[in-house]
Amino acid sequence: MCGIIGCVGRGDETLDTLVHGLAKLEYRGYDSAGVALATDTVDVCKKSGKIDDLRAALESRTLSGPVGIGHTRWSTHGPPTDENAHPHRDCRGEVAVVHNGIIENYQSLRDELASAGHEFRSDTDTEVVPHLIEDALADGANPETAVREAIARLEGSYAVAVVIAGVDAIFAARNDSPLVLGIDDGEEGTGDAPGGAYYLASDVPAFRDHTDRVVYLDDGEFARLSSRGWRVTTLDGEPVEKAVDTVDWDPEETGKSGYDHFMLKEIHEQPRALRQCLRGRVDELSGTVDLGDLGDLTPRAVQFVACGTSYHAAIYAAQLFEEAGIPAKAYLASEYASKTPPIGDALVIGVTQSGETADTLSALREARRRGARTLAVTNTVGSTAARECDHTLYIRAGPEIGVAATKTFASQLAALNLLSLSVTSVSDSRDVIAGLRELPGAVQEILDDSNAEAVAETYGDAGAYFFIGRGLHYPVALEGALKMKEITYKHAEGFAAGELKHGPLALVTENTPVFAVVTGDDEMARKTIGNVKEVEARDAPVVAVTDGQSDVERYADHVLRVPDTHRRIAAVVANVQLQLVAYHTAAQLDRSIDKPRNLAKSVTVE
Ligand code: F6R
């Protein structure tokens, strides 16, 4: 999704700060990039393609100025061309705007502006904004009022940042798209700090190298940043008191630390992420879990809303709650409103690592409209989900840069286990807690000794990949397939193992390896082994992900071994092997692993 950066107070380093910030936002996914710097004029440089293309274009330009904004664009209106890249300017070239989100009434605004004589150079919805500001300035409004008036006319979702020729300030506003301010040397709440440097961005990594003090903007808020300080008001100009928070992670955490890709680094960070998730929350002796100030939840029923990988975590969690006798269902967030499931006393839980996914936020808002209590299970402190929900449970995975979710999925499963233990009565809670304690070590064992790379080499040119599992391994099968398709661009599907024979078996050939997740040696394992035999009989290669408890290996061409753990934990460790297979398959194919085509890290449009 689009990424925004802005800075003021960096003097000659403004341009470098912007480009560096854009590089830090690359993980969000983008197809073009640009910057605008304001002095008495506004200079813009923008290019389709990668940030290196923008850097190359900047080599032949002299852009300077004490205040600037930058943008990475993920196309929604119009293809990724230089013209459609942000920033966009007004007719006179004195106003530059970057935007993340979708302006729903842009067509009527554009028609109105065009018939008043404004000339448009792009296909984007965003371009109406500088022209609206131009009109307001021409009508005599001061710069800040002109921006407010223009923004008041927008419908839809936006995070917008604006610079204007001759004005030593950035103006910004948000509605339904994230925006965070970075404060260097500012005094809390006053915004009165001569000589300070101030930033704004879609996400903290964009300016984390410069400051750890942040202010999260809320919907309907407007910010003004200048070299003299910062101020937040409502769109109507009413002052808003904002807290300055401190982010507690190190900028180093957003580097690759010697790994070829962020995804591989993040796969290897899972033991640490899991330890962080569990730290201080479990008491093995008493078999209890303490989730701090989560409050009194005791739900009679639970509805999960989530997308993609987080939805797979939600399916897993729904089963944990069901097993504990609490009716629970996982909904795809984008389908939730259309299904209008009855809420009753249900607690609605949004599972979202970013806390900014538009579909999930929209489902949570729908749940609140219908009177439900809401809980965000998220990785991102200060995210919209965290701020809007009644309760928040942090998964504490640390920053995840690779577009494909890995460590956050593992941490979601761990955190959802903790949640289920804290609000339901689980008969073998001591065993689960002991399993959770062993989980980081079990993941480390896999990382130290996985043969996933060899398996990936064997099946690198397969026609398609299938993944099967039952019960808690069903979401693991779905997740294994999602990871494979997103980073290899090859066809991959996950199935409930028993469903294979009801249709998908027709797809199975000697060129379609089937990854079967089978742990333990219970009835469920035996049934999955029956499905493995069906596959084997059709000559498909079988890769068993197993703890060696059952005899599935007899029917498998390859084995990806996982430690023998509690059944709940087995799903988490089995997934690590599938992450590694997907990673090594994509590496062999030389794919853009951290930024797969067409995908974005934080999907802020519905
Ligand atoms: C897949 C992936 C996506 C996200 C989905 C929801 O690897 O990362 O499927 O899981 O876009 O994102 P969050 O969890 O931020 O709501």
Side-chain angles (χ1 to χ4, degrees):
M1 290 289 113
C2 304
I4 290 176
I5 171 80
C7 74
V8 53
R10 299 280 304 173
D12 292 346
E13 292 172 17
T14 306
L15 179 60
D16 285 350
T17 307
L18 294 176
V19 176
H20 180 74
L22 291 180
K24 292 283 183 183
L25 292 173
E26 275 193 300
Y27 72 92
R28 296 168 67 85
Y30 71 105
D31 44 45
S32 33
V35 289
L37 276 80
T39 47
D40 287 344
T41 58
V42 171
D43 287 331
V44 168
C45 181
K46 52 188 191 169
K47 284 303 284 176
S48 64
K50 296 292 170 197
I51 289 177
D52 279 344
D53 298 310
L54 174 67
R55 285 196 180 101
L58 283 166
E59 273 170 22
S60 57
R61 302 279 307 271
T62 43
L63 259 66
S64 65
V67 48
I69 51 178
H71 190 265
T72 48
R73 173 173 188 250
W74 189 79
S75 304
T76 56
H77 294 68
T81 59
D82 291 355
E83 292 70 31
N84 287 335
H86 299 211
H88 291 285
R89 279 187 290 188
D90 63 325
C91 298
R92 293 188 300 185
E94 294 184 349
V95 177
V97 173
V98 293
H99 161 231
N100 172 14
I102 292 180
I103 298 169
E104 282 160 13
N105 60 336
Y106 90 98
Q107 194 59 57
S108 62
L109 291 172
R110 187 171 169 131
D111 293 346
E112 173 193 319
L113 288 158
S115 55
H118 288 268
E119 279 182 28
F120 286 83
R121 300 182 188 95
S122 78
D123 309 315
T124 64
D125 52 344
T126 307
E127 201 183 347
V128 297
V129 184
H131 292 280
L132 287 171
I133 297 171
E134 179 185 8
D135 268 1
L137 288 169
D139 286 348
N142 69 40
E144 182 167 336
T145 307
V147 177
R148 288 181 193 283
E149 285 177 2
I151 287 170
R153 299 209 52 199
L154 308 181
E155 290 166 18
S157 61
Y158 51 80
V160 177
V162 181
V163 290
I164 299 175
V167 180
D168 166 37
I170 305 173
F171 304 105
R174 83 156 260 177
N175 188 47
D176 276 355
S177 287
L179 209 49
V180 55
L181 311 185
I183 311 296
D184 184 6
D185 292 331
E187 291 299 318
E188 189 162 332
T190 67
D192 190 358
Y198 304 95
Y199 308 84
L200 65 85
S202 304
D203 201 357
V204 177
F207 56 69
R208 178 63 190 87
D209 287 331
H210 310 295
T211 182
D212 61 356
R213 302 180 70 223
V214 300
V215 173
Y216 296 100
L217 286 194
D218 286 305
D219 283 348
E221 290 180 348
F222 182 92
R224 180 184 202 279
L225 310 180
S226 79
S227 57
R228 288 177 305 286
W230 59 278
R231 186 172 75 217
V232 176
T233 62
T234 63
L235 205 48
D236 297 333
E238 291 300 315
V240 180
E241 277 288 313
K242 299 294 289 183
V244 180
D245 292 322
T246 303
V247 290
D248 59 2
W249 42 268
D250 200 282
E252 265 303 294
E253 286 188 62
T254 58
K256 278 194 211 150
S257 311
Y259 288 94
D260 286 344
H261 297 95
F262 281 111
M263 182 181 176
L264 189 59
K265 176 191 171 218
E266 287 156 5
I267 289 173
H268 280 263
E269 280 173 348
Q270 288 178 110
R272 181 160 64 127
L274 289 163
R275 271 186 210 102
Q276 276 170 194
C277 177
L278 300 173
R279 185 161 297 137
R281 289 171 160 177
V282 288
D283 183 339
E284 212 170 326
L285 276 184
S286 63
T288 54
V289 166
D290 178 3
L291 293 179
D293 53 4
L294 203 54
D296 177 23
L297 288 175
T298 55
R300 296 240 182 93
V302 172
Q303 295 173 353
F304 291 92
V305 291
C307 309
T309 292
S310 296
Y311 174 65
H312 301 153
I315 298 176
Y316 170 94
Q319 183 168 332
L320 301 187
F321 278 80
E322 286 274 344
E323 285 175 5
I326 296 185
K329 190 164 162 51
Y331 292 89
L332 284 167
S334 54
E335 290 290 306
Y336 185 72
S338 69
K339 299 239 176 327
T340 57
I343 287 218
D345 285 340
L347 171 70
V348 178
I349 303 180
V351 186
T352 165
Q353 87 75 24
S354 64
E356 301 294 351
T357 300
D359 287 323
T360 307
L361 293 177
S362 163
L364 287 167
R365 286 171 191 152
E366 175 62 24
R368 262 196 314 283
R369 256 194 299 281
R370 289 192 282 129
R373 281 177 308 150
T374 53
L375 164 67
V377 177
T378 184
N379 194 31
T380 313
V381 177
S383 60
T384 305
R387 284 177 292 129
E388 290 189 0
C389 285
D390 300 309
H391 311 272
T392 302
L393 173 60
Y394 288 109
I395 65 169
R396 303 179 182 165
E400 187 176 71
I401 307 294
V403 163
T406 51
K407 64 173 177 172
T408 54
F409 180 65
S411 298
Q412 283 171 340
L413 299 188
L416 289 163
N417 259 297
L418 295 178
L419 183 67
S420 79
L421 289 168
S422 84
V423 301
T424 68
S425 63
V426 175
S427 56
D428 62 343
S429 62
R430 273 200 177 76
D431 294 342
V432 179
I433 288 175
L436 284 168
R437 282 262 198 229
E438 286 165 12
L439 175 56
V443 172
Q444 190 63 56
E445 245 180 79
I446 295 173
L447 296 173
D448 290 344
D449 194 26
S450 174
N451 54 332
E453 188 168 0
V455 171
E457 261 165 36
T458 310
Y459 298 116
D461 57 359
Y465 302 86
F466 300 123
F467 297 77
I468 60 172
R470 271 171 199 261
L472 291 174
H473 291 335
Y474 168 52
V476 174
L478 296 180
E479 177 60 10
L482 179 63
K483 222 74 318 173
M484 186 66 108
K485 73 181 92 170
E486 26 177 4
I487 61 167
T488 67
Y489 314 156
K490 295 188 64 164
H491 182 217
E493 289 300 326
F495 301 106
E499 273 297 294
L500 209 57
K501 57 189 176 294
H502 297 293
L505 201 54
L507 297 172
V508 165
T509 70
E510 67 280 0
N511 197 24
T512 61
V514 176
F515 291 79
V517 186
V518 187
T519 59
D521 191 21
D522 56 6
E523 185 60 18
M524 199 123 68
R526 280 191 287 279
K527 283 189 177 164
T528 308
I529 293 169
N531 306 128
V532 166
K533 289 182 194 162
E534 291 155 14
V535 162
E536 196 207 11
R538 272 93 190 159
D539 293 330
V542 172
V543 181
V545 184
T546 181
D547 54 6
Q549 300 300 300
S550 67
D551 66 351
V552 67
E553 296 179 28
R554 283 176 50 192
Y555 313 100
D557 299 275
H558 292 272
V559 172
L560 292 166
R561 177 74 71 195
V562 297
D564 178 15
T565 53
H566 189 281
R567 132 194 113 74
R568 289 181 174 212
I569 308 305
V572 190
V573 291
N575 182 62
V576 176
Q577 289 284 26
L578 299 183
Q579 290 171 343
L580 289 167
V581 174
Y583 172 81
H584 288 297
T585 308
Q588 269 179 66
L589 295 166
D590 205 20
R591 299 295 192 230
S592 168
I593 292 181
D594 286 331
K595 282 166 266 166
R597 69 182 180 203
N598 305 337
L599 299 182
K601 183 70 181 164
S602 186
V603 186
T604 51
V605 293
E606 283 183 60

PDB file of all heavy atoms in Angstrom, residues 85-96:
ATOM      1  N   ALA A  85       2.407   8.730 -10.625  1.00  0.00           N
ATOM      2  CA  ALA A  85       3.135   8.705  -9.350  1.00  0.00           C
ATOM      3  C   ALA A  85       2.861   9.993  -8.577  1.00  0.00           C
ATOM      4  O   ALA A  85       2.555  11.039  -9.162  1.00  0.00           O
ATOM      5  CB  ALA A  85       4.638   8.556  -9.617  1.00  0.00           C
ATOM      6  N   HIS A  86       2.949   9.927  -7.252  1.00  0.00           N
ATOM      7  CA  HIS A  86       2.786  11.107  -6.400  1.00  0.00           C
ATOM      8  C   HIS A  86       4.165  11.725  -6.166  1.00  0.00           C
ATOM      9  O   HIS A  86       5.153  11.010  -6.281  1.00  0.00           O
ATOM     10  CB  HIS A  86       2.208  10.720  -5.045  1.00  0.00           C
ATOM     11  CG  HIS A  86       0.855  10.093  -5.113  1.00  0.00           C
ATOM     12  ND1 HIS A  86      -0.094  10.226  -4.119  1.00  0.00           N
ATOM     13  CD2 HIS A  86       0.272   9.287  -6.046  1.00  0.00           C
ATOM     14  CE1 HIS A  86      -1.177   9.528  -4.436  1.00  0.00           C
ATOM     15  NE2 HIS A  86      -0.974   8.935  -5.600  1.00  0.00           N
ATOM     16  N   PRO A  87       4.305  12.945  -5.770  1.00  0.00           N
ATOM     17  CA  PRO A  87       3.293  13.954  -5.472  1.00  0.00           C
ATOM     18  C   PRO A  87       2.601  14.484  -6.735  1.00  0.00           C
ATOM     19  O   PRO A  87       3.175  14.480  -7.827  1.00  0.00           O
ATOM     20  CB  PRO A  87       4.098  15.075  -4.813  1.00  0.00           C
ATOM     21  CG  PRO A  87       5.361  14.441  -4.350  1.00  0.00           C
ATOM     22  CD  PRO A  87       5.651  13.352  -5.329  1.00  0.00           C
ATOM     23  N   HIS A  88       1.349  14.944  -6.520  1.00  0.00           N
ATOM     24  CA  HIS A  88       0.595  15.610  -7.583  1.00  0.00           C
ATOM     25  C   HIS A  88       0.521  17.101  -7.285  1.00  0.00           C
ATOM     26  O   HIS A  88       0.502  17.505  -6.124  1.00  0.00           O
ATOM     27  CB  HIS A  88      -0.810  15.014  -7.669  1.00  0.00           C
ATOM     28  CG  HIS A  88      -0.759  13.615  -8.190  1.00  0.00           C
ATOM     29  ND1 HIS A  88      -0.545  13.328  -9.509  1.00  0.00           N
ATOM     30  CD2 HIS A  88      -0.849  12.424  -7.559  1.00  0.00           C
ATOM     31  CE1 HIS A  88      -0.510  12.011  -9.678  1.00  0.00           C
ATOM     32  NE2 HIS A  88      -0.693  11.439  -8.504  1.00  0.00           N
ATOM     33  N   ARG A  89       0.487  17.865  -8.385  1.00  0.00           N
ATOM     34  CA  ARG A  89       0.501  19.319  -8.208  1.00  0.00           C
ATOM     35  C   ARG A  89      -0.735  19.979  -8.796  1.00  0.00           C
ATOM     36  O   ARG A  89      -1.439  19.397  -9.614  1.00  0.00           O
ATOM     37  CB  ARG A  89       1.749  19.909  -8.867  1.00  0.00           C
ATOM     38  CG  ARG A  89       2.945  19.755  -7.970  1.00  0.00           C
ATOM     39  CD  ARG A  89       4.138  20.467  -8.500  1.00  0.00           C
ATOM     40  NE  ARG A  89       4.674  19.838  -9.697  1.00  0.00           N
ATOM     41  CZ  ARG A  89       5.816  20.188 -10.260  1.00  0.00           C
ATOM     42  NH1 ARG A  89       6.515  21.164  -9.746  1.00  0.00           N
ATOM     43  NH2 ARG A  89       6.246  19.570 -11.318  1.00  0.00           N
ATOM     44  N   ASP A  90      -0.957  21.226  -8.419  1.00  0.00           N
ATOM     45  CA  ASP A  90      -2.050  22.027  -8.979  1.00  0.00           C
ATOM     46  C   ASP A  90      -1.601  22.596 -10.330  1.00  0.00           C
ATOM     47  O   ASP A  90      -0.477  22.334 -10.785  1.00  0.00           O
ATOM     48  CB  ASP A  90      -2.412  23.149  -8.005  1.00  0.00           C
ATOM     49  CG  ASP A  90      -1.235  24.111  -7.815  1.00  0.00           C
ATOM     50  OD1 ASP A  90      -0.071  23.634  -7.826  1.00  0.00           O
ATOM     51  OD2 ASP A  90      -1.466  25.321  -7.684  1.00  0.00           O
ATOM     52  N   CYS A  91      -2.456  23.415 -10.956  1.00  0.00           N
ATOM     53  CA  CYS A  91      -2.120  23.952 -12.290  1.00  0.00           C
ATOM     54  C   CYS A  91      -0.875  24.824 -12.256  1.00  0.00           C
ATOM     55  O   CYS A  91      -0.078  24.831 -13.187  1.00  0.00           O
ATOM     56  CB  CYS A  91      -3.281  24.794 -12.833  1.00  0.00           C
ATOM     57  SG  CYS A  91      -4.780  23.855 -13.062  1.00  0.00           S
ATOM     58  N   ARG A  92      -0.704  25.569 -11.143  1.00  0.00           N
ATOM     59  CA  ARG A  92       0.427  26.502 -11.103  1.00  0.00           C
ATOM     60  C   ARG A  92       1.701  25.879 -10.561  1.00  0.00           C
ATOM     61  O   ARG A  92       2.732  26.547 -10.473  1.00  0.00           O
ATOM     62  CB  ARG A  92       0.029  27.732 -10.262  1.00  0.00           C
ATOM     63  CG  ARG A  92      -1.069  28.531 -10.952  1.00  0.00           C
ATOM     64  CD  ARG A  92      -1.345  29.820 -10.261  1.00  0.00           C
ATOM     65  NE  ARG A  92      -1.770  29.591  -8.886  1.00  0.00           N
ATOM     66  CZ  ARG A  92      -2.169  30.554  -8.070  1.00  0.00           C
ATOM     67  NH1 ARG A  92      -2.179  31.796  -8.479  1.00  0.00           N
ATOM     68  NH2 ARG A  92      -2.564  30.284  -6.847  1.00  0.00           N
ATOM     69  N   GLY A  93       1.582  24.654 -10.137  1.00  0.00           N
ATOM     70  CA  GLY A  93       2.767  23.958  -9.617  1.00  0.00           C
ATOM     71  C   GLY A  93       3.223  24.485  -8.273  1.00  0.00           C
ATOM     72  O   GLY A  93       4.401  24.387  -7.924  1.00  0.00           O
ATOM     73  N   GLU A  94       2.295  25.039  -7.490  1.00  0.00           N
ATOM     74  CA  GLU A  94       2.696  25.618  -6.192  1.00  0.00           C
ATOM     75  C   GLU A  94       2.228  24.801  -5.000  1.00  0.00           C
ATOM     76  O   GLU A  94       2.522  25.124  -3.853  1.00  0.00           O
ATOM     77  CB  GLU A  94       2.162  27.047  -6.101  1.00  0.00           C
ATOM     78  CG  GLU A  94       2.830  27.933  -7.130  1.00  0.00           C
ATOM     79  CD  GLU A  94       2.423  29.381  -7.037  1.00  0.00           C
ATOM     80  OE1 GLU A  94       1.467  29.689  -6.302  1.00  0.00           O
ATOM     81  OE2 GLU A  94       3.062  30.196  -7.726  1.00  0.00           O
ATOM     82  N   VAL A  95       1.444  23.763  -5.288  1.00  0.00           N
ATOM     83  CA  VAL A  95       0.939  22.909  -4.207  1.00  0.00           C
ATOM     84  C   VAL A  95       1.278  21.471  -4.586  1.00  0.00           C
ATOM     85  O   VAL A  95       1.049  21.065  -5.729  1.00  0.00           O
ATOM     86  CB  VAL A  95      -0.603  23.030  -4.089  1.00  0.00           C
ATOM     87  CG1 VAL A  95      -1.132  22.083  -3.009  1.00  0.00           C
ATOM     88  CG2 VAL A  95      -1.029  24.463  -3.827  1.00  0.00           C
ATOM     89  N   ALA A  96       1.842  20.714  -3.650  1.00  0.00           N
ATOM     90  CA  ALA A  96       2.119  19.295  -3.934  1.00  0.00           C
ATOM     91  C   ALA A  96       1.483  18.434  -2.846  1.00  0.00           C
ATOM     92  O   ALA A  96       1.508  18.792  -1.659  1.00  0.00           O
ATOM     93  CB  ALA A  96       3.621  19.037  -3.994  1.00  0.00           C
TER      94      ALA A  96
END
